[in-house]
Every structure is written in structure tokens, then in C-alpha cells.
Amino acid sequence: MNDIVSLPKNLRDRIEKLSKLRKVTPQSFVREAVKDRVAYLEWEEKALAQGQADLDSGRVMTTDQLRSALSEQRARRGKKAVKTA
């Protein structure tokens, strides 16, 4: 896909400034930015799908259940620290 994309002047100016600071061409700067954003959005979609799958299968905890589990975990760690000291 080698399409031309129109950008507002303000954004073009920002890209020019940053690409000069990074010592890269504006084109390579934009390619990298788009690549990074697409990778992030793909990760986000995967995480959301996993979260939805967890909800659908009942693998969830209430806030109170989570706090209780964390408290129990901290207590166990505290006992281990005392035993090794």
C-alpha cells in the first residue's frame, strides 16, 4: 500500500521537527510510527479478546475477592520472609 496520506500542517511540522532530531527522513519516521501504532492496536485487540473470553468462561474475580487473594498472598510471603531471616 503506497497511498498518499494528507496530514494537517501542524502535524507535518511536528513530524519534520522530530525526524530532524532523530536524524531520519520524515517518511521513515512516519513508517515507524504507523508500524508501532498498528502493533499496539493488534496487542490491544488480543488482550481485549482474552479478557472477553475470561468473562465468558467465568474466570473472573470481584474486587473483594481480589483484595482477599492479595492479602493472603502477602501474608504467605511475610511468613516465608520471617522463616528465612
Side-chain angles (χ1 to χ4, degrees), residues 31-50:
R31 267 193 306 274
E32 188 70 22
V34 170
K35 184 181 95 174
D36 289 348
R37 182 65 174 161
V38 168
Y40 172 79
L41 291 173
E42 289 171 336
W43 168 85
E44 183 181 52
E45 286 300 317
K46 184 178 176 183
L48 289 170
Q50 181 61 51

Side-chain angles (χ1 to χ4, degrees), residues 57-70:
S57 68
R59 290 187 305 262
V60 294
M61 290 180 137
T62 66
T63 302
D64 289 338
Q65 288 171 323
L66 177 61
R67 286 184 178 136
S68 176
L70 290 172

Side-chain angles (χ1 to χ4, degrees), residues 5-22:
V5 177
S6 295
L7 301 173
K9 182 174 179 354
N10 179 290
L11 183 55
R12 286 193 317 264
D13 292 345
R14 292 165 58 200
I15 290 168
E16 286 283 338
K17 182 179 177 182
L18 286 169
S19 64
K20 285 179 185 174
L21 289 170
R22 300 282 179 160

